[in-house]
Amino acid sequence: MSEKKPLVSVIMNCHNGEKYLEQSVKSIIDQTYNNWELIFWDNQSTDNSKKIIHKFTDDRIKYFKSENFKKLYESRNLAIQKAQGKFVSFLDTDDMWVQDKIEKQVNFLEQNTDYEIVYSNYYILDEFKKKKFAMFKNKLTSGIILNNLLKKYTVGIVTVFLSRDIFKDYSFDNRFDIIGDFDLILRLSETKKIGYIHDTLAVYRLHNSNLSKKRIALHANEMQGWIRENKNNFKNKKNFKYLKLYLIKLKLKILFRFLL
């Protein structure tokens, strides 16, 4: 593939992500699109993450270590500052990409210049049931999709691909540990056209850590605070009520897990 293709910056934040790290990085190296850089942000890992990433000799991999531990979205903001690409995408250490993800998303934004953001369908890899399935059966909509996302949030951060220029005016909210991508995408979706590719271009892994009671409780707490802070901004949006229903579901999940 021609090196004239735009550079893509892949942001990978890592805090003790050794378990699946090699698979995640390999899924970037195996991409059909070659002009990328991996911004690997080591958030004070104490496991073998540093050793694993340094096993890869690819000079497109750029290692940075945080001076002290940061919340996830502050770490993402810091990693983005190191990015040099025209486009930015995100991959966590426990997830993977399908081989042509970057190629298809670059092509979409290059061919649809009125869009600055594109996301896609993705697989769920359930470590408990040993099953893999596509997240969405039906094709989702593109364009100004704020009301769609208020009713049902469908944007997996593992699939998000966007222009780096967006981060001149926007950033993740440093306060969050769980819902920072939800918050950012909703803010962007008010005014920016968001494209959707129905192809399954990534793999999101379900495992003990991301389904823990602690994370679900934190998710509910952050969502409750977000709804309280943003109710005046979104109260006239017809689907804002669905976020409150989603919060109730989160609280029921916490109760169910507490009773187990």
Side-chain angles (χ1 to χ4, degrees):
M1 184 167 291
S2 171
E3 289 301 313
K4 292 182 180 179
K5 288 287 187 178
L7 178 66
V8 174
S9 298
V10 182
I11 306 298
M12 181 176 284
N13 292 97
C14 177
H15 175 68
N16 294 340
E18 65 177 4
K19 187 172 182 180
Y20 305 110
L21 178 56
E22 188 169 348
Q23 294 177 51
S24 296
V25 175
K26 193 173 185 303
S27 78
I28 302 171
I29 292 173
D30 288 344
Q31 289 291 301
T32 56
Y33 190 96
N34 295 322
N35 196 20
W36 53 262
E37 62 173 3
L38 171 58
I39 306 298
F40 186 88
W41 189 268
D42 185 349
N43 192 14
Q44 288 288 311
S45 295
T46 56
D47 64 358
N48 290 315
S49 294
K50 183 177 180 179
K51 290 181 180 179
I52 293 169
I53 197 67
H54 284 309
K55 286 181 181 178
F56 294 96
T57 57
D58 195 312
D59 60 8
R60 294 172 294 180
I61 298 174
K62 301 172 183 179
Y63 176 89
F64 301 91
K65 186 166 185 177
S66 180
E67 293 182 359
N68 46 62
F69 181 78
K70 308 284 188 184
K71 285 189 173 184
L72 171 60
Y73 292 102
E74 183 175 4
S75 293
R76 281 202 176 140
N77 285 329
L78 291 168
I80 289 166
Q81 291 176 19
K82 304 294 185 182
Q84 299 296 314
K86 179 179 180 180
F87 300 114
V88 172
S89 198
F90 304 91
L91 183 63
D92 290 337
T93 57
D94 48 358
D95 300 328
M96 294 174 288
W97 284 347
V98 174
Q99 282 187 306
D100 57 356
K101 176 188 185 289
I102 296 180
E103 182 177 2
K104 285 185 174 179
Q105 292 187 304
V106 167
N107 288 342
F108 180 94
L109 292 184
E110 294 279 272
Q111 294 167 13
N112 299 275
T113 54
D114 53 335
Y115 286 81
E116 296 178 81
I117 309 160
V118 62
Y119 71 111
S120 76
N121 201 354
Y122 58 99
Y123 293 109
I124 298 291
L125 179 59
D126 191 326
E127 294 280 297
F128 305 99
K129 298 179 181 179
K130 306 299 180 185
K131 291 173 59 178
K132 180 180 175 182
F133 56 91
M135 182 65 181
F136 305 113
K137 293 182 179 179
N138 299 319
K139 188 174 182 179
L140 304 178
T141 56
S142 295
I144 303 297
I145 60 171
L146 173 61
N147 273 313
N148 302 70
L149 297 183
L150 288 173
K151 185 172 183 179
K152 184 179 180 182
Y153 189 77
T154 54
V155 181
I157 189 65
V158 68
T159 76
V160 169
F161 193 92
L162 68 172
S163 169
R164 184 166 63 93
D165 285 345
I166 284 174
F167 295 104
K168 293 176 181 178
D169 300 312
Y170 293 85
S171 64
F172 290 105
D173 190 321
N174 290 341
R175 296 173 298 167
F176 295 130
D177 278 309
I178 304 291
I179 68 165
D181 48 302
F182 162 88
D183 167 69
L184 175 64
I185 295 298
L186 277 191
R187 285 187 279 127
L188 292 172
S189 69
E190 286 190 88
T191 57
K192 296 187 180 295
K193 293 176 69 175
I194 299 178
Y196 175 71
I197 298 172
H198 192 56
D199 297 344
T200 43
L201 299 182
V203 180
Y204 176 80
R205 194 188 304 266
L206 283 180
H207 52 83
N208 281 323
S209 295
N210 58 26
L211 289 178
S212 69
K213 286 187 286 187
K214 183 178 179 180
R215 283 184 63 83
I216 295 173
L218 182 57
H219 189 169
N221 185 59
E222 289 187 0
M223 183 62 72
Q224 183 167 295
W226 190 94
I227 291 172
R228 184 170 57 248
E229 286 185 14
N230 289 278
K231 63 182 179 182
N232 290 331
N233 296 331
F234 290 94
K235 65 182 179 182
N236 294 324
K237 305 296 181 183
K238 64 180 180 180
N239 289 332
F240 184 71
K241 62 184 179 183
Y242 287 98
L243 290 183
K244 296 180 180 179
L245 295 175
Y246 178 67
L247 178 60
I248 291 170
K249 290 179 181 178
L250 283 175
K251 291 182 175 181
L252 288 174
K253 278 186 180 181
I254 297 167
L255 178 62
F256 176 74
R257 290 175 184 273
F258 179 78
L259 294 174
L260 286 179

